[in-house]
Amino acid sequence: MIFRAKYAILNDRTIIEDGAVVLCGSKIREVGRYTEIRDLYPAKVVDLGSAVIMPGLVNTHTHLELTHHKNLVNHYARFTDWLFQITTRSNCDDCQQINQAILDGIQLSLAGGATTIGNIHSSGKGLETLRNSQIRKVVFLETLGLSSHVFADESARISKTLKSLRNDDLFTTAVTPHAPYSTSANLYQYCAEIAKSDQLHLSTHIAETKAEIEFLQYGTGEFAELLNMLNISLDAWNPPGVTPIAYLRKLGILDLQPLLAHCNYLTDNDIDLLARSGSSVAFCPRSHKYFSHTNHSIMRLIAAGVNVSIGTDSLASNWSLSMLDELKFLADNYEELLPETLISLLTINGTRSLKLKYIGKLEKNWQADLIAIGISDDGRPVFDQICDQASENLMTVVAGTICYRNENLEI
Ligand SMILES: [Zn+2]
């Protein structure tokens, strides 16, 4: 099959007019100008018209289990109040509800232009649904628990779940100790050990709020209150007295080149530690706005050479799971980010963040993961047209399979 469109963006540097991508099974066989390749490959041509074919977007931080929480949780100014709602509500979700939330989350992700997701999975329910879905995914199995008596159960649960899952072309397992205010040093180190021995990727939520910094420094503040409300004992908690990033270094987590979600509050020294360790950051721009955070360190991180990618986070703290919406939001609100940087953030940087290969560019022999963005073709630069509010994703292809098509697309 050959997809043809007015434009094709092959990577952050290359845009071609009258672009075409030739597919062969799950891979890309050729990319280039349509007129130059049409005679070389006798295949069915799908002409997408006024559209831009580009690499599928990589959402490096989401929680599909929370897809239905959009209308269930209230918007609170304090992160810990929000987290209290999530924690108490999630405990009530049954298997069927979680399955449906995952299915709906996958459809919304595909419709919004994501071909790959880094999904945090906490309940253990619905894993088969996730595994059998057509989207490419790295599934970070989540563990948490501050009290010492939780450790044995949680470490055994994670080991057992990992053993029960087999990776395939679209499914990769990984681990995620939740966050330093919810997860003991022992659990962090346990995750580090299995990540090392089983060669698994590791992610964690880190430096998300000022309250987290206070809790790690002094053991006081909103998180102490939250844990108290949840009847979680702080007996085993010894505040390390350092920043969240320095704490991860102390625990040996940074040696694993982890994927660090949020990183909303960083010192210069933290950024230096991240750059030297080769860690990646998943910045969630609209979730950042949802909680009224300001001045994310994204420009400082990029300048320091840290690999930054983009996540939507969940529908409990975002207005949609669309990565195209995330791109438009970034283009509108982070004018200092150049178009080519934005393309990298949402594509190849995501590939690196998830430690995957052969996705994030349209290139010969790479995976056929691509999308087609419908544009008005009004003569403006291609990137401006993609970021126009009226643009929409027409089609999402994962590993050569059309997984989503817009109702306006006639093919
Ligand atoms: Zn998250």
Side-chain angles (χ1 to χ4, degrees):
M1 188 182 287
I2 300 176
F3 290 116
R4 178 191 187 186
K6 174 80 181 176
Y7 300 99
I9 293 180
L10 308 188
N11 52 53
D12 58 350
R13 303 274 153 183
T14 320
I15 300 176
I16 51 177
E17 253 185 87
D18 196 12
V21 183
V22 185
L23 268 54
C24 181
S26 62
K27 291 187 181 175
I28 294 170
R29 188 163 181 192
E30 190 62 89
V31 290
R33 205 178 268 273
Y34 176 70
T35 48
E36 288 166 9
I37 60 178
R38 69 180 164 196
D39 295 332
L40 303 174
Y41 301 97
K44 183 188 168 198
V45 178
V46 176
D47 193 338
L48 297 156
S50 294
V52 183
I53 301 173
M54 63 180 289
L57 306 177
V58 182
N59 179 356
T60 59
H61 186 79
T62 189
H63 301 248
L64 296 185
E65 285 161 299
L66 302 179
T67 302
H68 292 170
H69 281 53
K70 187 177 186 180
N71 301 317
L72 292 179
V73 293
N74 296 316
H75 187 176
Y76 283 116
R78 286 196 343 164
F79 177 78
T80 46
D81 292 334
W82 174 88
L83 194 57
F84 180 77
Q85 289 184 92
I86 296 284
T87 309
T88 45
R89 279 210 175 269
S90 296
N91 291 339
C92 307
D93 291 340
D94 66 26
C95 216
Q96 203 184 348
Q97 285 170 315
I98 290 177
N99 264 323
Q100 198 53 51
I102 290 171
L103 286 171
D104 292 345
I106 289 166
Q107 275 317 305
L108 292 169
S109 302
L110 290 167
T115 49
T116 299
I117 54 170
N119 182 52
I120 307 297
H121 188 89
S122 67
S123 71
K125 298 166 190 162
L127 271 169
E128 276 305 302
T129 303
L130 199 50
R131 209 177 105 81
N132 295 330
S133 63
Q134 287 183 308
I135 200 164
R136 196 181 296 280
K137 58 260 161 194
V138 175
V139 176
F140 292 94
L141 298 170
E142 187 170 73
T143 181
L144 56 84
L146 261 193
S147 318
S148 48
H149 70 267
V150 176
F151 177 79
D153 283 352
E154 271 302 290
S155 54
R157 183 181 70 84
I158 290 295
S159 283
K160 193 177 161 197
T161 311
L162 281 170
K163 281 199 183 90
S164 71
L165 295 167
R166 214 166 3 94
N167 288 353
D168 61 33
D169 291 346
L170 296 181
F171 181 87
T172 307
T173 48
V175 287
T176 177
H178 173 247
Y181 53 79
S182 65
T183 310
S184 67
N186 283 349
L187 260 183
Y188 263 101
Q189 283 165 330
Y190 173 77
C191 288
E193 276 167 31
I194 47 172
K196 227 182 271 179
S197 64
D198 296 2
Q199 296 184 312
L200 302 173
H201 199 3
L202 184 147
S203 183
T204 192
H205 294 83
I206 200 78
E208 190 169 358
T209 60
K210 289 177 184 165
E212 177 185 328
I213 291 168
E214 179 185 344
F215 187 66
L216 264 65
Q217 196 65 242
Y218 308 110
T220 54
E222 286 175 30
F223 280 106
E225 288 170 32
L226 172 72
L227 293 162
N228 193 27
M229 276 162 69
L230 293 169
N231 290 323
I232 294 170
S233 164
L234 284 174
D235 291 353
W237 172 246
N238 294 311
V242 293
T243 66
I245 300 295
Y247 181 49
L248 291 186
R249 184 174 80 146
K250 201 173 151 194
L251 293 172
I253 298 292
L254 292 193
D255 298 338
L256 299 163
Q257 301 185 314
L259 170 58
L260 304 176
H262 304 299
C263 291
N264 293 338
Y265 297 96
L266 301 175
T267 64
D268 287 345
N269 186 52
D270 289 337
I271 291 174
D272 192 42
L273 287 174
L274 294 179
R276 281 194 279 131
S277 66
S279 304
S280 288
V281 169
F283 171 39
C284 301
R286 287 184 298 159
S287 182
H288 187 260
K289 183 181 171 66
Y290 183 94
F291 290 113
S292 305
H293 298 301
T294 52
N295 301 323
H296 192 273
S297 304
I298 182 166
M299 298 312 291
R300 290 194 295 150
L301 286 163
I302 292 171
V306 176
N307 181 55
V308 180
S309 57
I310 302 299
T312 57
D313 219 339
S314 77
L315 273 189
S317 64
N318 202 341
W319 296 268
S320 81
L321 291 181
S322 163
M323 283 293 277
L324 180 58
D325 288 350
E326 216 68 51
L327 175 64
K328 291 176 183 182
F329 178 83
L330 281 165
D332 283 348
N333 293 277
Y334 292 77
E335 284 169 10
E336 60 277 36
L337 290 169
L338 300 171
E340 56 266 32
T341 307
L342 284 169
I343 297 286
S344 298
L345 290 172
L346 278 88
T347 57
I348 196 70
N349 288 15
T351 309
R352 293 187 193 114
S353 286
L354 295 175
K355 298 189 180 175
L356 295 174
K357 284 181 180 164
Y358 309 116
I359 59 161
K361 289 184 190 178
L362 299 184
E363 201 164 308
K364 197 171 176 170
N365 293 326
W366 281 40
Q367 286 293 310
D369 286 14
L370 55 92
I371 55 174
I373 308 292
I375 55 169
S376 50
D377 196 18
D378 55 13
R380 285 180 297 154
V382 176
F383 191 77
D384 291 353
Q385 294 194 55
I386 291 176
C387 293
D388 192 282
Q389 282 312 315
S391 77
E392 56 180 355
N393 182 33
L394 299 177
M395 177 187 78
T396 304
V397 175
V398 181
T401 300
I402 299 175
C403 299
Y404 164 78
R405 65 180 88 203
N406 185 294
E407 57 191 13
N408 298 323
L409 182 66
E410 292 168 10
I411 57 168

